[in-house]
Structure formats: C-alpha cells, structure tokens
Amino acid sequence: MGLDITVLMADWEHLARIPPDDRVNVLGDAACPDFCCEACEDADYAVTGGWVWQRQVSWCAEYRFHGTTGSYGWHPRLGNAWEDVRTSVAPELRDALDHFLRGLFWDDPDDVTGTDPTAAAEEELPAARGFPEDPAPWRPRVLLLSAPDEVSELVRSWQVAAPRLEELRGPFEAEAAGWAGRPAGFDAAAALLREWGDVATEAGARRWGLVGLPF
C-alpha cells in the first residue's frame, strides 16, 4: 500500500497548549475519532470530499480531496507536472505557483534551503513556527507543516495564480500530458490545484495552520 495523507487545518493557539510530544497523536485522534455508533461512522465514511468537522472538535478540521481516496501520490504527480511546465509559464505566475506548491507538497529541486519531512534524523526535520513557549523546536514527522503566517503567504501567492490557471493548459498539453507520474489531464491537475487553493484560503481566513499527517 502507498503513502496516504490526512490534511488538517488547526488552531495553532489550541495546538500550542498541547505538549509537543502529544500533538501529532491528538491531531490524529481529532481527525479519526472513536465513533459513538455505527451510524456516525457510516456518515463519516460517506463524506468523500471537502471539509469534515468531527463532533465536539472545533479547533481543527480535515480536508478530503475529491478523487484521491486519501493517497499522497496524487500530489507529487501534480508537482511533477509543474516541473514539466514551469519554464514555459510567465514569470509572475511561475513565481506564485513555485511558492504556493513548495509550501504544500512540491519538492523544488532548486530550493537548497528545503528540508526533507521524511528525514531519518529528528534534527533534520523542519521545525514548526508559531510555538514560542516550547522548550525546544517542535519537529513532527509529517508531510505538511505550515504555520498561520506561512499560510497567509500561501494565500497571497494563490490569489495571484488562481485567475490565471488557464494559462497552464497549453504548456501542460505540450509538456506533461500523457506522461507517467502526471495527472490524467490538465482539467484534473487544475481541479486538484484549486482544491489546494481552497484549503489554504479557508485556513488563512481563520488564521490557522496546516498539517499533513502521514496516514
């Protein structure tokens, strides 16, 4: 089985009150609770896309991507397609999407400052921003970690890119369409990209952060 991702937006102030070593487990329990009855569990499984708010959890919510069945692999495919087309895109749009995708899931080969979220050593993992009271930097083993101020920056980049996505159609058809490890077509790629835009926009509006759990 491949790697999955559970994308959550979370209230960083609430998260800061949880001991660092417990945060990932608490986030996981909030996203995947023990249901009180079979009917509640069935209702949860029936939601295949969009925001999901679990009962009695007001400080975080899960976003379920339409058509990905929770698999992480769809997102690197979008990143692969972006690498194929980015040199054919207008500079302003390229800069905006570079920043947007790099802050979410794209491993920019030109970003020498980036860190690997799957690194073996804890000290190599990215440190979360926005937890000044922690005795040491919080370095969770997650697939996405974006503090509220970083989310706000993502939203600004998305606002530049969103009205211009159609400009990507020609480069996508020329450079990425039909290749393995890419989205099935431009419309599928654009739809997934817009979903990430919705994720960042909603989290930004609440001044919350984003976390991608590896399940």
Side-chain angles (χ1 to χ4, degrees):
M1 293 182 66
L3 181 66
D4 287 344
I5 184 171
T6 299
V7 173
L8 303 173
M9 64 173 176
D11 181 346
W12 242 229
E13 293 182 3
H14 182 98
L15 210 53
R17 295 192 290 270
I18 299 170
D21 290 345
D22 296 335
R23 286 175 187 151
V24 170
N25 288 336
V26 171
L27 283 164
D29 290 343
C32 304
D34 292 328
F35 294 101
C36 62
C37 63
E38 185 175 343
C40 288
E41 186 172 5
D42 290 344
D44 178 78
Y45 289 154
V47 181
T48 58
W51 289 106
V52 179
W53 294 84
Q54 298 294 351
R55 294 180 61 187
Q56 300 180 339
V57 178
S58 61
W59 58 274
C60 77
E62 176 192 359
Y63 188 85
R64 295 180 184 172
F65 291 89
H66 295 79
T68 70
T69 64
S71 173
Y72 182 66
W74 293 93
H75 309 291
R77 290 180 192 175
L78 180 58
N80 291 340
W82 174 239
E83 289 183 29
D84 293 340
V85 308
R86 60 184 297 277
T87 57
S88 302
V89 173
E92 185 183 23
L93 178 56
R94 180 173 63 244
D95 290 347
L97 282 175
D98 274 353
H99 178 261
F100 183 71
L101 296 176
R102 188 187 303 123
L104 295 169
F105 58 83
W106 178 46
D107 184 15
D108 181 356
D110 298 325
D111 181 16
V112 297
T113 65
T115 50
D116 181 4
T118 63
E122 182 175 343
E123 62 271 16
E124 297 175 358
L125 296 170
R129 288 162 50 172
F131 299 97
E133 302 302 321
D134 284 0
W138 181 43
R139 300 179 183 274
R141 192 174 296 279
V142 294
L143 297 171
L144 164 62
L145 185 64
S146 189
D149 61 329
E150 295 171 300
V151 172
S152 295
E153 295 169 3
L154 295 178
V155 172
R156 285 192 288 271
S157 293
W158 176 245
Q159 289 172 340
V160 173
R164 301 179 59 177
L165 293 188
E166 191 61 27
E167 294 178 33
L168 302 177
R169 184 180 293 275
F172 183 96
E173 296 296 340
E175 303 293 342
W179 287 94
R182 286 13 176 214
F186 173 75
D187 290 334
L192 183 55
L193 192 54
R194 289 190 180 96
E195 287 198 82
W196 276 111
D198 292 343
V199 168
T201 299
E202 183 63 25
R206 295 173 180 273
R207 301 184 183 277
W208 287 8
L210 292 171
V211 182
L213 301 178
F215 58 77

